[in-house]
Amino acid sequence: MGLERSEEDLSAVYRFRVLIKGLITNRGDVLLLKKNKDKIDGGTWQMPGGHLEHDEALEEGMRRQVEAETALSIETHQIVDALSFSDEEDSVQILYHCEAEKRDQELKDNLEEIEWVPPGKVSEKLNQQESDMFRDRENLKNFLQKLEELPSY
């Protein structure tokens, strides 16, 4: 009684986008991207990633995004963080720790620059939104600290 909802009603209630981002490491450093100034958030440093496609698995989407932006091959290790937020639309963002096999990246997908930075410098370099995420979320700060403590190889 009153609990039945049409599929159209449910899709309107539960509509959100899924974003995937990668904390991609190689030899102890973290990969950051700077998009061209004519793009959304252009001219700022960000972690690789983007929108998940319909019916796409999370790890598959992460690999696709990194390949499209940098041509790097990665191995996804674990989900480091997940959060929901609202800007233009309701969103869920999933942050993966990934390992790049090599540092043979290319500037693709409207990128201006790519840089490998030490874990301790990540939050200083990122755009304001992503920097705030690392500052405000204890598990992310702890994860970066653990990365710093690992030996570089």
Side-chain angles (χ1 to χ4, degrees), residues 137-152:
R137 299 180 70 80
E138 200 64 35
N139 60 327
L140 292 178
K141 286 191 279 192
N142 292 340
F143 190 81
L144 284 177
Q145 186 175 3
K146 287 178 185 176
L147 285 178
E148 275 189 287
E149 295 167 0
L150 292 174
S152 296

Side-chain angles (χ1 to χ4, degrees), residues 36-77:
N36 288 337
K37 288 183 172 63
D38 61 337
K39 294 293 176 190
I40 295 174
D41 291 329
T44 63
W45 290 96
Q46 326 174 12
M47 293 177 289
H51 296 88
L52 194 66
E53 300 291 336
H54 184 69
D55 285 336
E56 185 174 41
L58 292 172
E59 292 182 5
E60 179 185 325
M62 187 73 254
R63 285 189 295 272
R64 177 186 53 78
Q65 285 290 346
V66 172
E67 166 69 26
E69 292 177 328
T70 67
L72 286 173
S73 295
I74 61 164
E75 181 180 329
T76 55
H77 289 300

Side-chain angles (χ1 to χ4, degrees), residues 6-52:
S6 71
E7 197 171 308
E8 184 178 309
D9 288 341
L10 288 175
S11 70
V13 172
Y14 296 105
R15 179 173 229 112
F16 59 92
R17 66 182 172 165
V18 177
L19 304 168
I20 47 176
K21 293 280 191 167
L23 194 57
I24 299 170
T25 57
N26 179 276
R27 291 182 271 166
D29 292 331
V30 177
L31 179 70
L32 297 180
L33 312 175
K34 189 182 216 182
K35 294 205 174 182
N36 288 337
K37 288 183 172 63
D38 61 337
K39 294 293 176 190
I40 295 174
D41 291 329
T44 63
W45 290 96
Q46 326 174 12
M47 293 177 289
H51 296 88
L52 194 66

Side-chain angles (χ1 to χ4, degrees), residues 71-99:
L72 286 173
S73 295
I74 61 164
E75 181 180 329
T76 55
H77 289 300
Q78 68 194 53
I79 294 175
V80 177
D81 192 44
L83 64 111
S84 62
F85 62 92
S86 293
D87 50 14
E88 296 128 24
E89 57 186 306
D90 291 336
S91 303
V92 172
Q93 177 175 289
I94 299 165
L95 177 63
Y96 267 98
H97 173 227
C98 307
E99 183 74 23

